[in-house]
Amino acid sequence: MSRILVIDDEPDLVRFVRRALETDGHQVQVALDGADGLRMAMTEPPELIVLDLLMPGVDGHAILSAMTKSHPEVPILVLSAVADLKARVEVLDAGAVDFVAKPFAVRELLARVRTRLRHPGRPPLNGSGSDRMQVGSVTLDVTARTMNVGERTVPLSQREFQLLRHLMTRVDRVCTRQELLSEVWGYAFDPSTNVVDVCVARLRHKLGGEPTETMIRTVRNVGYQLQSG
């Protein structure tokens, strides 16, 4: 039985989602405002959070940011009426593992929840067997989630860290966009966004003085390759 926290300020919707999740075999806690939801999530982190974005006071964006920094292992599924492409890309890039638009089909929500509980979409910090990984002059500290380029320390966002870590574990191998969407963003399908390209562009910018177009090579119509030399 998985523990799920639902944070949404619509009581009728919360009751509906809670009943559906409990019927599907989950243990569900609810919070009807962002402040309570954040307190509950911080005090006893659940196995998954279903999160609304638009709430008075502490909104979903603030909760997503706080949880991504303090408990990055907890997958967050955003459930929101703000469903345009820009909003979806922003929350996924901020650390959410999935986005379901309101109104939604309950069967789809339950399927997404089951998928995220099986595959949270965030690799374990020390899955490489070491707390540091190095390719050329670039060192990734998987505990601090920072990148060193020579003597320069560069902070990384949650998604930038995951993307660079994936590329470094597969150095000199071409990673397809679909592979990156699946392993880094947790998608089993192509959502027709350019989130991979945008995240790679940010990584290249943070690499700064490195020959970035050579180090992270674009393989036309396929994906990207992190090169060792």
Side-chain angles (χ1 to χ4, degrees):
M1 180 182 292
S2 300
R3 292 187 304 105
I4 298 175
L5 174 61
V6 179
I7 307 174
D8 197 304
D9 65 341
E10 298 180 54
D12 290 341
L13 184 141
V14 167
R15 280 193 293 270
F16 174 71
V17 171
R18 180 176 194 168
R19 186 164 55 248
L21 291 171
E22 288 178 339
T23 300
D24 208 42
H26 305 292
Q27 179 184 341
V28 183
Q29 293 180 297
V30 301
L32 293 175
D33 67 70
D36 277 348
L38 181 57
R39 176 185 53 78
M40 292 168 67
M42 290 287 195
T43 302
E44 189 176 357
E47 292 172 67
L48 182 138
I49 295 174
V50 177
L51 177 66
D52 184 28
L53 289 181
L54 300 181
M55 293 179 288
V58 179
D59 66 7
H61 295 284
I63 295 171
L64 178 60
S65 176
M67 288 301 295
T68 298
K69 290 176 182 175
S70 62
H71 294 286
E73 75 283 358
V74 178
I76 298 177
L77 185 154
V78 169
L79 185 65
S80 179
V82 183
D84 61 275
L85 178 61
K86 183 174 182 289
R88 292 201 306 271
V89 171
E90 284 180 351
V91 297
L92 292 171
D93 203 35
V97 299
D98 209 342
F99 189 108
V100 176
K102 299 178 183 178
F104 58 90
V106 67
R107 289 177 61 188
E108 179 188 6
L109 175 63
L110 293 176
R112 298 282 190 95
V113 166
R114 288 192 293 266
T115 297
R116 298 311 164 195
L117 287 170
R118 289 195 302 268
H119 308 289
R122 292 188 175 104
L125 285 180
N126 293 311
S128 66
S130 171
D131 62 353
R132 288 181 181 272
M133 305 171 69
Q134 186 165 1
V135 176
S137 62
V138 177
T139 303
L140 182 66
D141 186 323
V142 299
T143 301
R145 298 188 176 226
T146 57
M147 172 178 68
N148 285 351
V149 183
E151 299 299 318
R152 183 167 54 95
T153 300
V154 183
L156 297 173
S157 72
Q158 168 74 18
R159 205 64 75 178
E160 290 163 357
F161 165 79
Q162 290 176 253
L163 177 59
L164 182 58
R165 185 178 186 275
H166 186 86
L167 291 172
M168 291 182 87
T169 60
R170 292 155 179 79
V171 64
D172 291 325
R173 205 195 85 186
V174 176
C175 298
T176 67
R177 284 183 175 83
Q178 185 57 54
E179 173 190 341
L180 295 173
L181 283 168
S182 174
E183 296 299 321
V184 178
W185 278 264
Y187 275 114
F189 61 95
D190 187 345
S192 300
T193 76
N194 65 340
V195 290
V196 175
D197 309 286
V198 171
C199 199
V200 167
R202 285 207 308 266
L203 270 180
R204 285 172 168 164
H205 177 73
K206 288 188 173 184
L207 284 166
E210 288 293 306
T212 57
E213 292 292 339
T214 301
M215 187 169 190
I216 303 179
R217 185 172 74 92
T218 300
V219 181
R220 187 177 178 85
N221 297 324
V222 179
Y224 294 97
Q225 177 189 37
L226 182 67
Q227 297 183 309
S228 58

